[in-house]
Amino acid sequence: MANLRKNWLQFLSAEEVKQIDQASRRVLMETGIRLEDEEIKQKLMDQGCANKNERIQFTAKIIDEAISGLPAEVIFGGRNGKKLHIKDGALA
């Protein structure tokens, strides 16, 4: 198992990652995204999101909850049956 923290190319510094996170949050909160599904739009608005110019603008709380709910491990499966596991900075 390769350790991503040691063997992976590091393209971004911690500060650059932080800047991308902040910019992404700003886009979601100020610009929002366009959603076609009326039921999902209504659920998001019921949770405090706004619908401005047909775009759903997210709250910081919704963004934080979505991030905290991400899985600790992601598994990608190839057509050849091989699997790639990404977990806590490790790649196997």
Side-chain angles (χ1 to χ4, degrees):
M1 179 186 308
N3 185 324
L4 288 178
R5 291 187 180 119
K6 291 182 181 176
N7 297 332
W8 200 259
L9 290 175
Q10 186 172 355
F11 293 103
L12 302 172
S13 69
E15 181 59 31
E16 290 170 322
V17 171
K18 182 179 175 183
Q19 289 173 357
I20 290 170
D21 176 65
Q22 290 172 342
S24 300
R25 288 169 181 269
R26 185 174 175 197
V27 168
L28 290 171
M29 291 189 288
E30 295 178 12
T31 303
I33 63 169
R34 184 173 173 198
L35 289 172
E36 299 292 327
D37 190 298
E38 293 298 325
E39 184 178 349
I40 293 174
K41 281 199 281 192
Q42 189 59 53
K43 285 181 180 182
L44 287 168
M45 290 189 311
D46 291 345
Q47 295 296 315
C49 295
N51 187 351
K52 184 176 179 184
N53 299 324
E54 296 301 316
R55 293 183 176 271
I56 299 298
Q57 295 172 314
F58 292 82
T59 64
K61 180 182 175 188
I62 294 288
I63 295 168
D64 290 339
E65 288 174 356
I67 291 171
S68 69
L70 293 173
E73 178 180 17
V74 178
I75 301 171
F76 295 97
R79 291 182 182 174
N80 60 2
K82 291 184 180 181
K83 293 183 180 179
L84 175 66
H85 295 255
I86 300 175
K87 175 180 163 182
D88 189 29
L91 176 66

